[in-house]
Amino acid sequence: MIRRRLIRAWQELRFRDALLLTFLPLLALGFILSASVREYLRARVYDDWYARGVSVRGQFSSRVRMIAKLPASLRLRDSFSPDDNDAGVIRFEVPGARWDSLEVVGDAPWAPWLDGTLRYGGTSLPIRLRKRGDNSVHWLTEKRSLSVRTPRDDFYKRFRSFALSGKDVLPSYVANRMAQSFGLLAPTTEVTPVYLNNRFYGVYRFIEVVDESFLRPLNRMPGNIYRGDAAERGEYQKGTARNLFANPRIWDRASANDRWTSAGSGQLRLLLEDIAGTTFADHQRMMGRLDRGEYANLFAYLLLMGDPYHIDGVHNQLLYEDPSTQKLTSIPWDTRLRDLSNAEQPLNDLFRAVLRDPYVVDSTMMEIAARVANDSVLHDVKRLIDATTARYGRYLAYDRQRTGIIPDVGDAESSIATMRGNIALLRRWLDNDSVASRATPTAAGIVLDLETRGHVGADLVSFVVSQPVSGATVRLDANANGVPDASDPLIPLRTESSASTTRLVPARPIALLPAWDTRTARILAGHVPYRLFLSGLGSGVTVTPELRNRATGRTIAPTTLADGAPVREGLAWHPWAFP
């Protein structure tokens, strides 16, 4: 019956009816295609990673997918209430004509400030806002990233200025919020739904702007905050070096200490000179301006988030100078949650110089070991994600329906999967504890050469001697001249004897610290040589070092360092050279 009716309807179909039935879908497809071409042509104006990825096919597909998801999107949007008194929701009121002007204002001279009103909870205040961002992902879509300022005597919560970023909202929130749990000097960040003129505009990541007011709630004294970000924005002097660590002139100060006791920007210039230095004295001066513990926590944090790369040589550099100590602290900015195994580019010059310090590398691995034990860092991330999705899950789901038309806001599953992958990789680093060993008999005793070859170091806890001995001594080749002399420190020993062997146990384990190879984008295990002199052992004995992984405590079986193989220069400054 149904088949007969369809056949009859087809036979009775007139040309006008067929034209009408096909015209409307074709008109809709033409509209989608023209919008896709328009977005592609707008993107061609720029030459950055986002603009280069925009294509007509991708824009067309995104719009078709969004139309297919339209019923679900409308149901979600209908559940939003602009009258919701959640204090985390921001509502902007901006005259429509002024807001629409952002669509046609060119980005080269940057965008004008627009006057408006901000409402949150039961509070309202006047504000000024404009587009922001250092690449076109923040400007090209209908969901633009924004800078917001309040009048001098008004505050949004405790903030006079802040940013709203529409890109990678959930994973970036997690990555940047986690900085606080590592004890780092980091700006406040939150997930914030935004309404514009009583219509939901998008879910954003709220970002505190780093300036002098940033320091006050953190109980830090007002001081210089050196900002290296101009080169990425094109605001630098033509014909000069774009690398921040080669050109102090393209730094500015987000917070300025111009008291008579301050050296102005002198500390920054001295730091850049030491970073460019090639001697151990240069390194010691540089580390005198920094705090090893702070940088170990910073590197542990960045590695677990998978992003030691985004604080690079052309942007995202923020250094706070404590006026009471002249120490410089790195402020993490715009950290991404990403796959650590996907090495992006070599580390910046400052990070590479600091990581030549074996004590920083060692402390970094210790911090990572503590964080991955019992998956504690993963549980912290899950708690952040669960709390955020419980509060704003509907807003995030709505924006995910628009992915491709607006930047992806991210999701819980992929964020947790990325963290799991980074933790698994860093656990492999913690197990990478290779040490090569060679004992060479000499007339004076035994020369023991050891070389760390893993990401993590070893503790030399004892020397196992193949026969009973008494009166044995151990010296470290601290001056690296290859032969024993009076300047080499003598190690206090405890002797544990049995019928056939002797264990020479140092009063404290001898730390064999690791090195990292940062010469390429991927952070590889490096090597550090160590030489010890054992005497008073008698003839015909063998010595076997007993080693433990410094981070996990597991026993390390040393590999063999080939006889006659030269001792390689280490990739880190030698630990025994430090005072």
Side-chain angles (χ1 to χ4, degrees):
M1 180 69 70
I2 295 175
R3 184 180 177 185
R4 274 197 224 102
R5 288 178 179 176
L6 288 173
I7 293 172
R8 183 176 177 182
W10 176 258
Q11 291 172 340
E12 294 176 355
L13 188 67
R14 293 172 295 178
F15 176 76
R16 185 182 63 184
D17 298 327
L19 185 63
L20 184 63
L21 287 172
T22 56
F23 176 73
L24 291 177
L26 287 174
L27 182 64
L29 289 174
F31 177 79
I32 295 171
L33 180 60
S34 65
S36 303
V37 171
R38 174 177 174 271
E39 292 304 310
Y40 170 76
L41 293 176
R42 287 183 65 206
R44 292 307 91 199
V45 176
Y46 305 99
D47 183 25
D48 56 44
W49 66 270
Y50 180 78
R52 288 192 294 270
V54 174
S55 66
V56 174
R57 173 182 286 185
Q59 288 292 309
F60 186 87
S61 299
S62 296
R63 281 165 169 75
V64 170
R65 283 195 301 270
M66 190 176 73
I67 291 171
K69 296 176 181 178
L70 190 59
S73 297
L74 292 175
R75 285 194 297 272
L76 279 170
R77 195 177 69 179
D78 289 343
S79 70
F80 304 156
S81 171
D83 299 321
D84 187 354
N85 284 324
D86 186 333
V89 176
I90 287 177
R91 297 168 183 81
F92 291 123
E93 294 176 5
V94 180
R98 292 288 289 142
W99 178 262
D100 292 341
S101 70
L102 291 181
E103 187 74 20
V104 297
V105 171
D107 297 304
W110 208 235
W113 288 97
L114 306 182
D115 294 324
T117 301
L118 184 156
R119 302 185 189 278
Y120 69 101
T123 303
S124 66
L125 65 156
I127 52 92
R128 306 183 77 204
L129 57 78
R130 72 176 183 182
K131 290 188 285 187
R132 68 167 279 120
D134 58 6
N135 61 66
S136 62
V137 68
H138 299 285
W139 319 317
L140 281 178
T141 74
E142 63 184 48
K143 181 186 174 186
R144 305 176 186 92
S145 295
L146 303 169
S147 290
V148 183
R149 289 181 181 173
T150 68
R152 186 174 185 84
D153 297 324
D154 288 318
F155 294 86
Y156 168 68
K157 299 180 179 178
R158 63 175 177 82
F159 308 102
R160 276 207 60 233
S161 60
F162 59 89
L164 295 169
S165 174
K167 176 176 72 74
D168 297 328
V169 172
L170 185 61
S172 291
Y173 163 70
V174 169
N176 289 274
R177 185 62 178 266
M178 283 296 295
Q180 298 174 9
S181 72
F182 283 76
L184 301 173
L185 189 64
T188 299
T189 188
E190 299 290 348
V191 171
T192 302
V194 172
Y195 284 80
L196 175 66
N197 296 333
N198 285 328
R199 292 180 64 87
F200 178 66
Y201 188 60
V203 63
Y204 282 80
R205 181 167 73 91
F206 171 95
I207 309 165
E208 177 182 10
V209 173
V210 174
D211 54 22
E212 186 173 324
S213 63
F214 156 74
L215 299 169
R216 292 179 189 138
L218 301 173
N219 296 319
R220 298 291 186 120
M221 294 181 65
N224 291 317
I225 298 178
Y226 302 109
R227 177 173 55 199
D229 209 38
E232 185 67 7
R233 298 173 187 269
E235 301 163 0
Y236 63 99
Q237 298 176 7
K238 300 299 181 181
T240 63
R242 189 168 180 264
N243 183 351
L244 288 163
F245 299 100
N247 186 3
R249 287 181 291 177
I250 57 176
W251 293 73
D252 63 1
R253 288 188 287 173
S255 172
N257 177 13
D258 290 324
R259 297 172 180 85
W260 68 271
T261 55
S262 169
S265 59
Q267 279 291 95
L268 175 66
R269 288 181 174 274
L270 293 172
L271 175 68
L272 299 188
E273 289 173 6
D274 291 337
I275 291 171
T278 58
T279 68
F280 182 57
D282 295 326
H283 178 79
Q284 286 182 295
R285 277 196 309 274
M286 180 190 72
M287 294 309 299
R289 307 182 198 283
L290 310 174
D291 184 285
R292 281 192 176 93
E294 285 183 350
Y295 272 85
N297 287 348
L298 174 65
F299 290 130
Y301 156 71
L302 293 175
L303 290 167
L304 281 161
M305 298 305 111
D307 193 19
Y309 306 107
H310 206 210
I311 304 176
D312 58 28
V314 294
H315 77 331
N316 292 336
Q317 290 290 342
L318 290 164
L319 294 169
Y320 163 64
E321 179 190 347
D322 188 325
S324 65
T325 63
Q326 278 71 58
K327 294 277 189 180
L328 292 161
T329 298
S330 187
I331 301 170
W333 180 260
D334 201 19
T335 306
R336 302 162 299 177
L337 183 60
R338 61 183 303 281
D339 179 3
L340 179 60
S341 67
N342 181 18
E344 188 173 61
Q345 62 186 354
L347 302 183
N348 71 62
D349 292 355
L350 171 61
F351 284 4
R352 290 168 62 195
V354 173
L355 286 171
R356 287 200 67 190
D357 192 306
Y359 291 98
V360 173
V361 173
D362 182 64
S363 297
T364 299
M365 292 304 291
M366 295 294 194
E367 181 66 20
I368 289 172
R371 296 284 178 165
V372 303
N374 302 316
D375 281 337
S376 64
V377 70
L378 182 62
H379 295 321
D380 291 342
V381 166
K382 284 182 175 179
R383 279 192 290 271
L384 280 177
I385 290 175
D386 289 346
T388 303
T389 53
R391 188 176 183 183
Y392 297 132
R394 291 175 302 139
Y395 293 109
L396 289 164
Y398 178 76
D399 270 6
R400 277 195 291 271
Q401 303 276 21
R402 301 191 288 163
T403 299
I405 306 302
I406 64 171
D408 189 1
V409 296
D411 61 84
E413 293 76 15
S414 60
S415 298
I416 291 171
T418 299
M419 276 301 304
R420 288 187 187 278
N422 291 345
I423 290 169
L425 175 58
L426 291 170
R427 281 186 169 141
R428 292 196 292 273
W429 285 23
L430 290 167
D431 289 336
N432 184 11
D433 53 14
S434 176
V435 179
S437 171
R438 177 178 64 204
T440 306
T442 68
I446 287 181
V447 175
L448 181 62
D449 285 310
L450 300 164
E451 185 180 79
T452 57
R453 295 178 172 179
H455 281 99
V456 69
D459 278 330
L460 178 52
V461 297
S462 74
F463 307 87
V464 180
V465 184
S466 61
Q467 64 187 37
V469 298
S470 61
T473 63
V474 175
R475 290 184 180 274
L476 308 181
D477 187 19
N479 57 15
N481 66 355
V483 296
D485 54 45
S487 68
D488 291 332
L490 191 66
I491 300 299
L493 297 172
R494 183 180 78 251
T495 302
E496 297 177 357
S497 298
S498 68
S500 58
T501 61
T502 302
R503 289 181 78 241
L504 305 177
V505 183
R508 291 187 306 174
I510 299 170
L512 308 178
L513 304 186
W516 288 352
D517 185 349
T518 61
R519 294 173 294 185
T520 61
R522 193 175 298 277
I523 301 174
L524 304 174
H527 57 272
V528 181
Y530 297 88
R531 174 165 284 187
L532 303 93
F533 306 111
L534 289 76
S535 60
L537 301 178
S539 60
V541 301
T542 60
V543 174
T544 303
E546 184 180 358
L547 303 163
R548 296 279 188 272
N549 182 306
R550 278 183 59 77
T552 66
R554 76 171 189 172
T555 299
I556 300 173
T559 59
T560 300
L561 189 61
D563 291 338
V567 175
R568 297 186 292 174
E569 183 179 356
L571 293 181
W573 297 109
H574 203 287
W576 296 347
F578 288 83

